[in-house]
Amino acid sequence: MNYTPRAILAFLLMLALVVAGVGWGAYRGFSQDKAQVETALGSLESVLSTRAEMGHNLLVVARRHRQDAPDVIDPLIQAVEKDVGELESALPLMEKAAASGRLSRDGGALLDALEASPGVQADARDLGYVTGLLPRGLEQSAQWADAGQYNKAAAEFNNRLNGQVNGRLARLLGVREAELFPPGGESL
């Protein structure tokens, strides 16, 4: 067989274009899929923001009654402030999940301390917040932050990204796995 240099060059150019086309298609397809997963992440971020707001509301009530038992209430206020700060920061989902779990624990302890304090017992409005509104809000937002829908979408995306040849190619071109949100606010 007599191959001319032009034929060899044309074949190599065709091969390069095919490889570039397949790579571009893999990158674009998986980038669009990841954008859909990130849309679900936006909903989860909104729920975490709601949890932070509930924490702020709890802190407002706690600061009004910190003089009732400062040795008990002040350390709990500091813990809730730290948890809320982490929820509002730009931390990775894993750390926000841990902060969400700690907010449930620390917020519950603060609510218990406030409920037992004489100042809250004497204030009908704050007693209603401490025994009704705030515990329900924290519990409900914790359930919303379970993130089942987001994790399902993220896991399916990660499986496709890692399980398909064009997914591996997309990873080589810069598409990263979607981060999972641990259920119940626990670290994985």
Side-chain angles (χ1 to χ4, degrees), residues 31-63:
S31 292
Q32 289 172 353
D33 288 351
K34 178 122 188 232
Q36 290 176 345
V37 171
E38 288 172 351
T39 299
L41 176 61
S43 299
L44 179 59
E45 291 287 347
S46 175
V47 169
L48 293 175
S49 176
T50 299
R51 283 191 59 69
E53 288 175 28
M54 293 303 300
H56 282 296
N57 292 339
L58 174 58
L59 289 169
V60 167
V61 174
R63 288 182 184 122

CSV table of all heavy atoms in Angstrom, one decimal, residues 31-63:
chain,number,residue,atom,x,y,z
A,31,SER,N,-21.6,19.0,31.7
A,31,SER,CA,-21.7,20.3,32.4
A,31,SER,C,-23.1,20.7,32.5
A,31,SER,O,-23.5,21.3,33.5
A,31,SER,CB,-20.9,21.3,31.5
A,31,SER,OG,-19.5,21.1,31.5
A,32,GLN,N,-23.9,20.4,31.5
A,32,GLN,CA,-25.4,20.7,31.6
A,32,GLN,C,-26.0,19.9,32.7
A,32,GLN,O,-26.9,20.4,33.4
A,32,GLN,CB,-26.0,20.5,30.2
A,32,GLN,CG,-25.6,21.5,29.2
A,32,GLN,CD,-26.1,21.3,27.8
A,32,GLN,OE1,-26.7,20.2,27.6
A,32,GLN,NE2,-25.9,22.2,26.9
A,33,ASP,N,-25.7,18.6,32.8
A,33,ASP,CA,-26.2,17.7,33.8
A,33,ASP,C,-25.8,18.2,35.2
A,33,ASP,O,-26.6,18.3,36.1
A,33,ASP,CB,-25.7,16.3,33.7
A,33,ASP,CG,-26.4,15.6,32.5
A,33,ASP,OD1,-27.3,16.1,31.9
A,33,ASP,OD2,-25.9,14.5,32.1
A,34,LYS,N,-24.6,18.7,35.3
A,34,LYS,CA,-24.2,19.2,36.6
A,34,LYS,C,-24.9,20.5,37.0
A,34,LYS,O,-25.2,20.7,38.1
A,34,LYS,CB,-22.6,19.4,36.6
A,34,LYS,CG,-22.1,20.0,37.9
A,34,LYS,CD,-21.1,19.2,38.5
A,34,LYS,CE,-20.7,19.7,39.9
A,34,LYS,NZ,-19.3,19.8,40.1
A,35,ALA,N,-25.2,21.3,36.0
A,35,ALA,CA,-26.0,22.5,36.2
A,35,ALA,C,-27.3,22.2,36.8
A,35,ALA,O,-27.8,22.9,37.7
A,35,ALA,CB,-26.1,23.3,34.9
A,36,GLN,N,-28.0,21.1,36.3
A,36,GLN,CA,-29.3,20.7,36.9
A,36,GLN,C,-29.1,20.3,38.3
A,36,GLN,O,-30.0,20.6,39.2
A,36,GLN,CB,-29.9,19.6,36.1
A,36,GLN,CG,-30.3,20.1,34.7
A,36,GLN,CD,-30.8,18.9,33.8
A,36,GLN,OE1,-30.6,17.7,34.1
A,36,GLN,NE2,-31.5,19.3,32.7
A,37,VAL,N,-28.0,19.6,38.6
A,37,VAL,CA,-27.8,19.2,40.0
A,37,VAL,C,-27.6,20.4,40.9
A,37,VAL,O,-28.1,20.5,42.0
A,37,VAL,CB,-26.6,18.2,40.1
A,37,VAL,CG1,-26.2,17.9,41.6
A,37,VAL,CG2,-26.9,16.9,39.4
A,38,GLU,N,-26.9,21.4,40.4
A,38,GLU,CA,-26.6,22.6,41.1
A,38,GLU,C,-27.9,23.4,41.3
A,38,GLU,O,-28.0,24.2,42.3
A,38,GLU,CB,-25.5,23.4,40.4
A,38,GLU,CG,-24.1,22.8,40.6
A,38,GLU,CD,-23.0,23.4,39.8
A,38,GLU,OE1,-23.3,24.3,39.0
A,38,GLU,OE2,-21.9,23.0,40.0
A,39,THR,N,-28.8,23.3,40.5
A,39,THR,CA,-30.1,23.9,40.7
A,39,THR,C,-30.8,23.3,41.9
A,39,THR,O,-31.3,24.1,42.8
A,39,THR,CB,-31.1,23.7,39.5
A,39,THR,OG1,-30.4,24.4,38.3
A,39,THR,CG2,-32.4,24.4,39.7
A,40,ALA,N,-30.7,22.0,42.1
A,40,ALA,CA,-31.3,21.4,43.3
A,40,ALA,C,-30.5,21.8,44.5
A,40,ALA,O,-31.0,22.0,45.6
A,40,ALA,CB,-31.2,19.8,43.1
A,41,LEU,N,-29.2,22.1,44.3
A,41,LEU,CA,-28.3,22.5,45.4
A,41,LEU,C,-28.8,23.9,45.9
A,41,LEU,O,-28.8,24.2,47.1
A,41,LEU,CB,-26.9,22.6,45.0
A,41,LEU,CG,-25.9,23.2,46.0
A,41,LEU,CD1,-25.9,22.4,47.3
A,41,LEU,CD2,-24.5,23.2,45.5
A,42,GLY,N,-29.3,24.7,44.9
A,42,GLY,CA,-29.8,26.1,45.3
A,42,GLY,C,-31.0,25.9,46.3
A,42,GLY,O,-31.1,26.7,47.2
A,43,SER,N,-31.8,25.0,46.0
A,43,SER,CA,-33.0,24.7,47.0
A,43,SER,C,-32.5,24.3,48.3
A,43,SER,O,-33.0,24.8,49.4
A,43,SER,CB,-33.9,23.6,46.4
A,43,SER,OG,-34.4,24.0,45.2
A,44,LEU,N,-31.5,23.5,48.4
A,44,LEU,CA,-30.9,23.0,49.6
A,44,LEU,C,-30.3,24.2,50.4
A,44,LEU,O,-30.4,24.4,51.6
A,44,LEU,CB,-29.9,21.9,49.4
A,44,LEU,CG,-29.2,21.4,50.6
A,44,LEU,CD1,-30.2,20.8,51.6
A,44,LEU,CD2,-28.2,20.3,50.2
A,45,GLU,N,-29.6,25.1,49.6
A,45,GLU,CA,-28.9,26.3,50.2
A,45,GLU,C,-30.0,27.2,50.8
A,45,GLU,O,-29.8,27.8,51.9
A,45,GLU,CB,-28.1,27.0,49.2
A,45,GLU,CG,-26.8,26.3,48.8
A,45,GLU,CD,-25.8,26.3,49.8
A,45,GLU,OE1,-25.8,27.0,50.8
A,45,GLU,OE2,-24.8,25.5,49.7
A,46,SER,N,-31.2,27.2,50.2
A,46,SER,CA,-32.3,28.0,50.7
A,46,SER,C,-32.8,27.5,52.0
A,46,SER,O,-33.1,28.2,53.0
A,46,SER,CB,-33.4,28.1,49.7
A,46,SER,OG,-34.5,28.8,50.2
A,47,VAL,N,-32.9,26.2,52.1
A,47,VAL,CA,-33.3,25.5,53.4
A,47,VAL,C,-32.3,25.8,54.5
A,47,VAL,O,-32.6,26.1,55.6
A,47,VAL,CB,-33.5,24.0,53.2
A,47,VAL,CG1,-33.7,23.3,54.5
A,47,VAL,CG2,-34.7,23.8,52.3
A,48,LEU,N,-31.0,25.7,54.1
A,48,LEU,CA,-29.9,26.0,55.1
A,48,LEU,C,-30.0,27.4,55.6
A,48,LEU,O,-29.7,27.7,56.8
A,48,LEU,CB,-28.6,25.6,54.6
A,48,LEU,CG,-28.3,24.1,54.3
A,48,LEU,CD1,-27.0,23.9,53.7
A,48,LEU,CD2,-28.5,23.3,55.6
A,49,SER,N,-30.3,28.3,54.7
A,49,SER,CA,-30.5,29.7,55.0
A,49,SER,C,-31.7,29.9,56.0
A,49,SER,O,-31.6,30.7,57.0
A,49,SER,CB,-30.7,30.5,53.8
A,49,SER,OG,-31.0,31.9,54.1
A,50,THR,N,-32.7,29.1,55.8
A,50,THR,CA,-33.9,29.2,56.7
A,50,THR,C,-33.5,28.7,58.1
A,50,THR,O,-33.9,29.2,59.1
A,50,THR,CB,-35.0,28.3,56.1
A,50,THR,OG1,-35.4,28.9,54.8
A,50,THR,CG2,-36.2,28.3,57.0
A,51,ARG,N,-32.7,27.6,58.1
A,51,ARG,CA,-32.2,27.1,59.4
A,51,ARG,C,-31.4,28.2,60.1
A,51,ARG,O,-31.5,28.4,61.3
A,51,ARG,CB,-31.4,25.8,59.2
A,51,ARG,CG,-32.2,24.6,59.0
A,51,ARG,CD,-31.5,23.3,59.0
A,51,ARG,NE,-30.9,22.9,60.3
A,51,ARG,CZ,-31.5,22.6,61.4
A,51,ARG,NH1,-32.8,22.7,61.5
A,51,ARG,NH2,-30.7,22.2,62.5
A,52,ALA,N,-30.6,28.9,59.4
A,52,ALA,CA,-29.8,30.0,60.0
A,52,ALA,C,-30.7,31.1,60.5
A,52,ALA,O,-30.4,31.6,61.6
A,52,ALA,CB,-28.8,30.5,59.0
A,53,GLU,N,-31.7,31.4,59.8
A,53,GLU,CA,-32.7,32.4,60.3
A,53,GLU,C,-33.4,32.0,61.6
A,53,GLU,O,-33.6,32.8,62.5
A,53,GLU,CB,-33.7,32.7,59.2
A,53,GLU,CG,-33.2,33.5,58.0
A,53,GLU,CD,-34.3,33.6,56.9
A,53,GLU,OE1,-35.5,33.6,57.3
A,53,GLU,OE2,-33.8,33.8,55.8
A,54,MET,N,-33.7,30.7,61.6
A,54,MET,CA,-34.3,30.1,62.9
A,54,MET,C,-33.3,30.3,64.0
A,54,MET,O,-33.7,30.6,65.2
A,54,MET,CB,-34.8,28.7,62.7
A,54,MET,CG,-35.9,28.5,61.7
A,54,MET,SD,-37.4,29.4,62.2
A,54,MET,CE,-37.8,28.8,63.7
A,55,GLY,N,-32.1,30.0,63.7
A,55,GLY,CA,-31.0,30.2,64.8
A,55,GLY,C,-30.9,31.6,65.2
A,55,GLY,O,-30.8,31.9,66.4
A,56,HIS,N,-31.0,32.5,64.3
A,56,HIS,CA,-31.0,34.0,64.7
A,56,HIS,C,-32.2,34.3,65.6
A,56,HIS,O,-32.0,35.1,66.5
A,56,HIS,CB,-31.0,34.9,63.4
A,56,HIS,CG,-29.6,35.0,62.8
A,56,HIS,ND1,-28.5,35.5,63.4
A,56,HIS,CD2,-29.2,34.6,61.5
A,56,HIS,CE1,-27.5,35.5,62.6
A,56,HIS,NE2,-27.9,34.9,61.4
A,57,ASN,N,-33.3,33.8,65.2
A,57,ASN,CA,-34.5,34.1,66.0
A,57,ASN,C,-34.4,33.5,67.4
A,57,ASN,O,-34.7,34.2,68.4
A,57,ASN,CB,-35.8,33.5,65.4
A,57,ASN,CG,-36.2,34.2,64.1
A,57,ASN,OD1,-35.8,35.3,63.8
A,57,ASN,ND2,-36.9,33.5,63.3
A,58,LEU,N,-33.8,32.4,67.5
A,58,LEU,CA,-33.5,31.8,68.9
A,58,LEU,C,-32.6,32.6,69.6
A,58,LEU,O,-32.7,32.9,70.8
A,58,LEU,CB,-33.0,30.3,68.7
A,58,LEU,CG,-32.5,29.6,69.9
A,58,LEU,CD1,-33.7,29.5,71.0
A,58,LEU,CD2,-32.0,28.2,69.6
A,59,LEU,N,-31.5,33.1,69.0
A,59,LEU,CA,-30.6,34.0,69.6
A,59,LEU,C,-31.2,35.3,70.1
A,59,LEU,O,-30.8,35.8,71.2
A,59,LEU,CB,-29.4,34.3,68.7
A,59,LEU,CG,-28.5,33.1,68.4
A,59,LEU,CD1,-27.5,33.4,67.3
A,59,LEU,CD2,-27.7,32.7,69.6
A,60,VAL,N,-32.1,35.9,69.4
A,60,VAL,CA,-32.7,37.1,69.8
A,60,VAL,C,-33.5,36.8,71.2
A,60,VAL,O,-33.3,37.6,72.1
A,60,VAL,CB,-33.7,37.6,68.8
A,60,VAL,CG1,-34.6,38.7,69.3
A,60,VAL,CG2,-33.0,38.1,67.6
A,61,VAL,N,-34.2,35.8,71.2
A,61,VAL,CA,-34.9,35.4,72.5
A,61,VAL,C,-33.9,35.1,73.6
A,61,VAL,O,-34.1,35.6,74.7
A,61,VAL,CB,-35.9,34.3,72.3
A,61,VAL,CG1,-36.5,33.8,73.6
A,61,VAL,CG2,-37.0,34.6,71.3
A,62,ALA,N,-32.9,34.4,73.3
A,62,ALA,CA,-31.9,34.0,74.3
A,62,ALA,C,-31.2,35.2,74.9
A,62,ALA,O,-31.0,35.3,76.1
A,62,ALA,CB,-30.9,33.0,73.7
A,63,ARG,N,-30.9,36.2,74.0
A,63,ARG,CA,-30.2,37.4,74.5
A,63,ARG,C,-31.0,38.2,75.4
A,63,ARG,O,-30.5,38.9,76.3
A,63,ARG,CB,-29.7,38.2,73.3
A,63,ARG,CG,-28.5,37.5,72.6
A,63,ARG,CD,-28.0,38.3,71.5
A,63,ARG,NE,-26.9,37.6,70.8
A,63,ARG,CZ,-27.0,37.3,69.5
A,63,ARG,NH1,-28.0,37.7,68.7
A,63,ARG,NH2,-26.0,36.6,68.9
